[in-house]
Structures are given as structure tokens and as C-alpha cells.
Amino acid sequence: MSKFRVIHYLNQFFGQIGGEDKADIAPLKKDGPVGPGTALNGAFKGEAEVVGTVICGDSYFAENMEEALRQIIAMIKEYNPDLVVAGPAFNAGRYGTACGAVAEAVVKNLGIPAVTGMYPENPGTDMYKKSVYIIATADSAIGMRNAIPKMAALGLKLLKKEEIGTPEQEGYIARGIRKNYFAQERGAKRAVDMLVAKIKGESFTTELPMPAFDRVSPNPAIKDLSQATIALVTSGGIVPKGNPDRIESSSASKFGKYSLAGVKNLTSDTFETAHGGYDPVYANQDADRVLPVDVLREIEAEGKIGKLHDYYYATVGNGTSVANAAKFGQAIAADLKASGVDAVILTST
């Protein structure tokens, strides 16, 4: 019996091309396994073989998603595979988005199964968990040894058209798909049993897990705005013309700090948006629509606020991981506090 043919999708780092300096490389293909593909090959235990690897830079994919997918799918199709494995991407936002998009495109366009792996908080998880199987991984490559065997095992089950178990049994992230089943006890009794266990402080497993959200207590209101220093922060991607820090249009890995000294209005000659998640035309025409420097200067002149802070901070919220967003927020907040800023106006798109 011939082995199943597998294609492995990797980014420039795991594809052994280079780091962030090579993140803009266009898709390319190599025969056989590369990097973690060797471990993946071994995890199939002779039942399947990684016959080719497709590699694409994270920035290239994020900035040219439609064209990148077209090229990648064409390269995958050349190998006539039975299965595609993407990643794992762990908590890398751009990589996770690419892995999810590639896996989804493979299922839809080639009609073959695909598996990927991500940390649950990777933005690619929420974007693609309903359309593809995503093995839950650690947040960094330290979890590679655990992720690869689970991805291989699930891939083989899909290839053999075997019944796929629950997320807990197979290790994939819940897809939000409901399936009917016969329970030994009716729902009312199960609910009461869980309530009793909760009251007693005993462990129980809910049948309908709820999302967990951060709760942030607001600071007290500013008593006198006329004496306050107000700063602007945006996730709408407004940057100086040319995007000097090369903030990514999706799944940002950084934020920028830019001077507003002497700036009364954001013109199309000096500012633009780096954001890839909305139509940039109107923001590029007048960046004040996203970052209202003009209005803040007006009320500053009127004495309604004490001062507009000399710097603003910008990143892109499109697909950015929760971990990166929290890291950006903590760094920006520390800088604002050190500068004596009293309040922030945070704008999106």
C-alpha cells in the first residue's frame, strides 16, 4: 500500500530561510521535509510521507494575502497531496493567520483535509477554528514536541476517514459545532448536579463553556481637564508617511511612537495608515479621521485641555494577538505615566 502524500506549509523562520529580515519573501517550494517537517514525517510512522514543503514569509502573506494564497495553492497542487499540514504557528499572529488561511483554502479549493496548530489566543484561532482543525499548542516553539504528534495523528484520522473524537480526546480547539448525542441523564438533572457540585466547591465540567474577558476598572474621572495632558493612542495604524518602523498591516509585532511637536493637522503628504483591515482611502486622505490631532489642537487652543502630549502611539489591531496587544499596552502605559500624561484617547477604525 502506497503512503499518503503530505505537503507541509511553513513560514520563513521554520522554513530555515531566515528571521524577520526575510519575512517579505514570496512563496517557494522545496521537495521533502524541512525543519519541523522531519519530526512530522517521523510522527506519521510510515503511513504518510512529507513529499514537499511550501514556504512563505509572514509579511509577504499578510500584505499580499490573495496573491500569496493563489501561489501557495498552485504549488501545493503540483504535488498532488492527500493532506496538508500547516505550522504549527504557536502564538505568532501573522504565521497563525497564514496557516489558518492556507488550511481553509486547501479544504475549499482542493477538497483534501488540512490540519494546523496554534496557541488558543493566536488571532488565527478565532478566524479559522470553524473551518479547519486546529491542534491546541503551547505559546512558543518549546511546545513543538507535543504539537507535532497530535497534528500527525489527527491528519491520519482525516486521511482514513475515521470518526473524529471530541476536542478533549483529539487535542484540537473546539470549533463551535454542535452534535446531537444521547445522554444517560436528562438536561435538567445534569444542570442541578453541576449546581450542587459548584455550591459544595467540588469540580465539575460545564457543557457550555463561556468566553473569558478581561475586566479593567476605570480610573477616576479627571477633575480639571483644563490642566490635563492628553495623549493619543491608536490601533488604526496611522503612521508617518512611508511607515518608518514597518508596522505590519496585519498581526502587528510592534508599535510606533511618533512626535506631534508642531503638528496641527495630519495631511496626506505627511501621514498615512498601515492598517490592512479596512479601506485606507479616507484615512490616507486625512489621517485626522482616525487620529484626531486637528480637533485636539483646537480644544487645546481654546483652553479646554491643558496640553496635547508631544507624542502619539500607533499599532495595527487587525489580527494582532492578545499577547502582543497586552505587551504593547503595558509598554505604552509605562511611557505615558513616566511622561506625566493624565489621560488617553484611544482610537480604532
Side-chain angles (χ1 to χ4, degrees), residues 27 61 64-74 98 101-103 105:
F61 190 95
N64 308 276
M65 188 170 177
E66 186 174 331
E67 175 60 18
L69 275 176
R70 186 192 66 77
Q71 295 177 61
I72 290 166
I73 294 301
V102 168

Side-chain angles (χ1 to χ4, degrees), residues 133-136 149-151 153-154 157 162-173:
Y133 284 101
I134 303 174
I135 291 292
K150 292 179 181 178
M151 293 170 71
L154 183 57
K157 276 198 166 186
E162 296 177 357
E163 183 178 353
I164 306 300
T166 64
E168 293 76 19
Q169 292 169 334
E170 309 287 0
Y172 64 87
I173 292 170

Side-chain angles (χ1 to χ4, degrees), residues 10-18 28 30 34-36 53 55 95:
L10 297 171
N11 72 351
Q12 80 284 350
F13 177 78
F14 289 103
Q16 300 182 343
I17 302 296
L28 59 91
K30 294 184 177 182
V34 174
T53 305
I55 302 165
Y95 190 20

Side-chain angles (χ1 to χ4, degrees), residues 102-168:
V102 168
E104 181 184 66
V106 164
V107 173
K108 288 183 177 180
N109 298 330
L110 302 183
I112 60 174
V115 177
T116 184
M118 299 180 211
Y119 184 59
E121 290 186 8
N122 190 308
T125 298
D126 277 340
M127 294 169 68
Y128 296 105
K129 66 183 180 183
K130 290 187 177 181
S131 54
V132 298
Y133 284 101
I134 303 174
I135 291 292
T137 73
D139 64 349
S140 70
I142 196 171
M144 185 73 76
R145 183 173 294 183
N146 291 326
I148 289 293
K150 292 179 181 178
M151 293 170 71
L154 183 57
L156 286 173
K157 276 198 166 186
L158 291 169
L159 284 168
K160 298 174 183 177
K161 295 181 170 51
E162 296 177 357
E163 183 178 353
I164 306 300
T166 64
E168 293 76 19

Side-chain angles (χ1 to χ4, degrees), residues 10 47 115 118 141 148 152 163 176 181 195 230 242 244 316 330 337:
L10 297 171
E47 295 188 78
V115 177
M118 299 180 211
I148 289 293
E163 183 178 353
Y181 75 100
L195 177 60
I230 309 297
V316 166
Q330 290 163 2
K337 287 183 69 175

